[in-house]
Amino acid sequence: MLKHQICLVTGASRGIGHAIAVALGRQGATIIGTSTSQKGANYIGESLNNNDINGFGVVMDVTEKQSIDTTVHDVIATHGTPSVLVNNAGITRDGLLMRMKDTDWDVVIDTNLKSVYRLCKALLRPMMKARFGRIINISSVVGAIGNAGQSNYCASKSGLLGFTMSLAREVAARNITVNAVAPGFIDTDMTRNLEQTQKQQLLSQIPLGRLGTADDVAQAVVFLASPMANYVTGSTLHVNGGMLMA
Ligand code: NAP
């Protein structure tokens, strides 16, 4: 379904980003997956290879403009313009606002939100020239409903939704769609450290009665990247086991 597509997936070394990279690759796309470490980039390459997927891992830090510009330049020079950009890299630095450090606010906004501005800016011109693009931003259910102890993270994830709709309006005429996927609570490194009582409390709010898997999210991304979603833009696809309506 995605033959001849080149997909750039940020934060593809583990969790949701890794599942997205593999799921897009299984549809025939060439994958460029990023990690902040060489070890992570190597793992991405090996893992794509083991799944018979064309592609490789690169070291890139989404908080550094220079790192993004170099990666985008190299990818375009060697493989052509990515037709699909998945902005997945993200972090948490949780804490009540009363006790939150400025650095915890800044690093979360920089990594989760400003990164998306940087990557879209770097890729927009070549995508416009190609008159095709699929941009998919990974937000979160808490960006829609908030969560105590995550004001920095929720602000970044809500910000992504406004960004997604605005950019969708700006580039629609060039056949570039911009959508968001908002996962609920997904079983990855990010949620693995939750205490048992917190987990029980969470599960009671999820009608489907389980945490999501990284692949549950990846399938939503595949849909938005595929021709099946050609007429979908400025949307948020919620993948949360029903917790938004709970
Ligand atoms: P994860 O397992 O912690 O993985 C995070 C990924 O982001 C890693 O590949 C990491 O790369 C990369 N990353 C972190 N900082 C980066 C930076 N400065 N530059 C480039 N890459 C960076 O997280 P996850 O749970 O899969 O989450 C993926 C996305 O889904 C995030 O945006 C998260 O907010 C969102 N999300 C997650 C959940 C959930 O329940 N897990 C729910 C809603 C939304 P390296 O460590 O290899 O450098």
Side-chain angles (χ1 to χ4, degrees):
M1 203 158 50
L2 296 174
K3 267 214 160 75
H4 310 303
Q5 306 287 341
I6 297 163
C7 306
L8 179 59
V9 183
T10 68
S13 59
R14 52 202 160 86
I16 293 171
H18 183 260
I20 291 171
V22 171
L24 290 171
R26 286 198 174 129
Q27 296 299 322
T30 297
I31 306 298
I32 295 111
T34 82
S35 166
T36 56
S37 70
Q38 190 58 54
K39 192 173 159 220
N42 292 345
Y43 174 73
I44 295 166
E46 283 161 23
S47 166
L48 293 175
N49 202 16
N50 291 340
N51 282 284
D52 286 326
I53 293 167
N54 201 14
F56 55 92
V58 287
V59 177
M60 186 183 88
D61 188 330
V62 296
T63 64
E64 288 176 17
K65 182 177 183 304
Q66 191 55 51
S67 172
I68 290 173
D69 289 347
T70 305
T71 304
V72 167
H73 175 272
D74 291 352
V75 167
I76 291 176
T78 52
H79 288 77
T81 300
S83 43
V84 179
L85 166 64
V86 184
N87 286 307
N88 164 78
I91 58 166
T92 52
R93 292 287 184 277
D94 296 349
L96 296 173
L97 189 71
M98 287 284 282
R99 289 198 287 266
M100 188 172 290
K101 296 192 187 82
D102 288 358
T103 48
D104 290 337
W105 175 271
D106 290 342
V107 73
V108 167
I109 300 294
D110 199 21
T111 309
N112 297 4
L113 183 58
K114 192 166 181 190
S115 61
V116 177
Y117 155 84
R118 288 188 191 99
L119 272 143
C120 289
K121 270 208 112 166
L123 270 173
L124 216 50
R125 211 178 284 277
M127 273 187 179
M128 283 176 123
K129 228 172 125 192
R131 290 194 167 265
F132 183 86
R134 297 286 175 262
I135 298 173
I136 299 153
N137 299 322
I138 307 301
S139 178
S140 169
V141 65
V142 298
I145 60 177
N147 196 18
Q150 289 198 305
S151 59
N152 50 358
Y153 183 75
C154 295
S156 72
K157 295 299 183 182
S158 286
L160 271 185
L161 301 183
F163 178 91
T164 297
M165 291 185 284
S166 304
L167 186 60
R169 289 180 186 275
E170 289 183 21
V171 298
R174 299 295 181 110
N175 196 24
I176 300 171
T177 64
V178 190
N179 291 291
V181 172
F185 283 86
I186 309 300
D187 189 15
T188 69
D189 289 351
M190 200 177 256
T191 48
R192 220 152 271 155
N193 293 332
L194 288 176
E195 283 167 20
Q196 206 49 39
T197 47
Q198 275 177 299
K199 253 191 190 159
Q200 270 328 109
Q201 155 87 11
L202 260 174
L203 284 176
S204 71
Q205 295 168 34
I206 304 173
L208 282 180
R210 63 170 177 87
L211 295 191
T213 65
D215 202 49
D216 289 330
V217 181
Q219 295 309 322
V221 173
V222 168
F223 166 69
L224 289 171
S226 79
M228 289 189 292
N230 278 350
Y231 199 56
V232 181
T233 196
S235 292
T236 300
L237 185 42
H238 290 279
V239 183
N240 54 38
M243 70 176 287
L244 192 60
M245 65 176 179

